[in-house]
Amino acid sequence: MRKKIGEGTFSSVYEASVEGEAGKLVALKRIYGVSSPARCAKEAKILMKIRGAPHCVHLITGIRHEDTLCLVLEHFEHDFPRTYMGKLAGLLPLHLSHSLSSSSVSLFEIFFFLSSIPLFVIGDELREYMRALFTALSTLHKHNILHRDIKPSNFLYSRARREYRLIDFGLAEILTEKDSLELGRMRNRVFAPRSGFEGSRAPRAHAARAGGIFSSICISSSPIEEEWKLLI
């Protein structure tokens, strides 16, 4: 184990080297014992469902020791969002980014909007970034998975390699048909809340979050970490 690279309410993530394989790194997600066994099992199940999917983090294996579960994930070198906020947008007018963050805009409306406007308006890099995000989200929709925490720091991006990974499924849910019809109404915020969506389906919940990411990249601004806790 080399160093801690991330921390949340229920887990910490460490960078670790693989014994006997020089230079190979993995990410160890240590889920604290205070997290329920059902939550741990659900996250592992979701990661197994999406294993191999484009732009989604790859689960290698899981290790349990007493009351601690460690998920062994691929290691993904990436840029921090603050280093590229405002640099991917090309010439996109700011009022368009604000309108796309509305909770009334669906994932598919955003996708077709991005596909229809000229490349000189949206730079190639932002177009590729959003396409990769929608591709990852479409995988979740196929498996009836609601991520519940889509934000720039959970969609890792390597600018040098133009590669992406959707991570952190600790809050994710596998929805039944009844659940998807009973999700609560989303408040009109730049980033949709993690829960409390009435009368909405998972794609619409993800669309609001995707719109928020798109907006934050264009205006070079994102809610500070403390503000995320208010979006519940």
Side-chain angles (χ1 to χ4, degrees):
M1 195 173 294
R2 294 156 59 101
K3 61 182 179 180
K4 181 184 287 189
I5 56 176
E7 187 170 21
T9 305
F10 300 105
S11 62
S12 293
V13 182
Y14 300 87
E15 179 183 274
S17 55
V18 178
E19 187 175 341
E21 297 188 43
K24 184 173 181 179
L25 300 174
V26 294
L28 296 179
K29 181 173 183 178
R30 177 176 175 265
I31 302 175
Y32 303 141
V34 294
S35 186
S36 72
R39 180 190 291 273
C40 297
K42 181 170 58 182
E43 182 172 2
K45 181 178 180 180
I46 287 171
L47 288 168
M48 290 177 66
K49 276 179 172 286
I50 63 171
R51 179 181 283 174
H55 313 310
C56 293
V57 68
H58 176 64
L59 172 68
I60 299 172
T61 189
I63 304 169
R64 177 176 290 281
H65 177 68
E66 297 178 350
D67 65 343
T68 299
L69 173 67
C70 276
L71 299 176
V72 183
L73 306 164
E74 65 173 318
H75 184 269
F76 187 80
E77 290 284 353
H78 62 280
D79 296 86
F80 291 100
R82 63 177 178 273
T83 66
Y84 59 78
M85 287 290 182
K87 297 180 181 179
L88 314 186
L91 302 174
L92 185 71
L94 294 185
H95 73 276
L96 291 179
S97 68
H98 286 298
S99 66
L100 286 176
S101 68
S102 168
S103 61
S104 64
V105 179
S106 74
L107 179 67
F108 304 104
E109 288 169 330
I110 296 175
F111 177 80
F112 286 120
F113 173 83
L114 288 173
S115 299
S116 66
I117 61 179
L119 285 176
F120 72 85
V121 177
I122 290 186
D124 275 344
E125 192 170 3
L126 178 57
R127 183 183 289 266
E128 290 177 16
Y129 179 100
M130 295 305 297
R131 186 181 295 274
L133 176 59
F134 294 147
T135 299
L137 294 178
S138 70
T139 296
L140 303 192
H141 302 160
K142 289 176 185 176
H143 294 285
N144 296 319
I145 296 168
L146 178 64
H147 187 283
R148 297 181 71 220
D149 202 16
I150 301 291
K151 56 185 179 183
S153 59
N154 281 343
F155 189 58
L156 306 185
Y157 173 40
S158 167
R159 294 192 76 186
R161 302 192 310 274
R162 294 287 181 97
E163 293 181 2
Y164 316 83
R165 291 294 184 276
L166 182 61
I167 65 166
D168 196 354
F169 289 81
L171 293 174
E173 298 285 351
I174 301 174
L175 303 177
T176 64
E177 183 176 354
K178 181 179 179 182
D179 290 332
S180 65
L181 291 171
E182 293 181 352
L183 292 169
R185 182 170 52 90
M186 291 181 287
R187 289 171 291 180
N188 190 18
R189 301 289 295 273
V190 172
F191 287 85
R194 286 189 281 191
S195 58
F197 307 121
E198 279 166 42
S200 173
R201 296 176 184 271
R204 187 168 294 275
H206 286 150
R209 283 270 179 162
I213 290 178
F214 183 63
S215 177
S216 70
I217 288 174
C218 292
I219 63 178
S220 190
S221 176
S222 180
I224 60 175
E225 200 62 33
E226 287 73 17
E227 288 179 317
W228 287 106
K229 297 174 184 177
L230 301 176
L231 301 181
I232 298 176

